[in-house]
Amino acid sequence: RSFLPPDARPVLRSLGVAYDDDSAAGTSGNGNGTLNPGETAGLTVTLRNIATAPAAGVTATLALEGPDAFTTIVQDTVSYGDLAGKSQSAGGQQFLVRFSPATPTPHTVRFVLTARDAAGNTHVVRFQKKVHTTIRLAGVVTKDGAPLPGAQVSYFGSAFGQVLTGADGRYLVDL
């Protein structure tokens, strides 16, 4: 049996998963950065080679960890190219994932990303994301019947925060 020194082969790790629903590059949604039922989201998984050995020809495939009747992976393969030692890449494009309009919320989706390099090294990353229903809180603040710009509106409940009204007295918060 032969043993390789720790950095003799590449080791890939995920630096995180970003997603968008801005209706560009194959995505469709309201652009609020929250995964909602009925949207097709783009997922970008940034991989880092934490070893000094290079990883040539890295390709990753995204799958569901188990059956999920509400989630479909539309674009499941992304090329990351060559990752030198201690380098990172977000890949050449996004993974595309469609969430059924019938998705109950909140709904946890569990993913498995399998990255392979040209030398046959396999790296597995598991992660999960939640699908939520977005609630839009909007209105107009007036004083004596006239819009009140710069008014502070506070909201509390399952989420909390503050927002200032615009020049027309309007405010909008997606929760």
Side-chain angles (χ1 to χ4, degrees):
R1 207 159 104 71
S2 65
F3 292 95
L4 296 173
D7 269 5
R9 69 174 82 180
V11 178
L12 303 183
R13 297 286 185 257
S14 169
L15 291 181
V17 180
Y19 50 89
D20 76 67
D21 60 344
D22 61 3
S23 295
T27 67
S28 65
N30 57 10
N32 68 352
T34 300
L35 301 176
N36 300 129
E39 292 185 335
T40 298
L43 274 63
T44 300
V45 181
T46 300
L47 295 178
R48 178 166 178 78
N49 181 359
I50 63 172
T52 56
V58 177
T59 300
T61 303
L62 185 67
L64 297 170
E65 191 170 69
D68 186 329
F70 304 105
T71 307
T72 303
I73 299 176
V74 179
Q75 171 64 41
D76 68 347
T77 304
V78 170
S79 173
Y80 285 80
D82 298 338
L83 275 89
K86 306 294 183 184
S87 70
Q88 66 190 45
S89 173
Q93 63 189 54
Q94 295 178 319
F95 297 99
L96 292 177
V97 181
R98 181 176 300 126
F99 305 103
S100 165
T103 303
T105 59
H107 179 71
T108 301
V109 181
R110 290 176 175 79
F111 296 99
V112 178
L113 180 84
T114 304
R116 290 184 175 85
D117 64 29
N121 297 305
T122 300
H123 314 272
V124 177
V125 177
R126 287 179 165 69
F127 63 94
Q128 62 185 29
K129 290 293 175 189
K130 284 199 183 236
V131 179
H132 295 275
T133 300
T134 300
I135 299 169
R136 180 163 276 183
L137 177 64
V140 178
V141 177
T142 61
K143 181 176 180 181
D144 300 326
L148 185 60
Q152 181 174 304
V153 177
S154 298
Y155 51 93
F156 303 92
S158 59
F160 60 90
Q162 300 172 338
V163 64
L164 296 177
T165 60
D168 59 359
R170 295 183 184 278
Y171 63 92
L172 172 70
V173 180
D174 284 328
L175 306 171

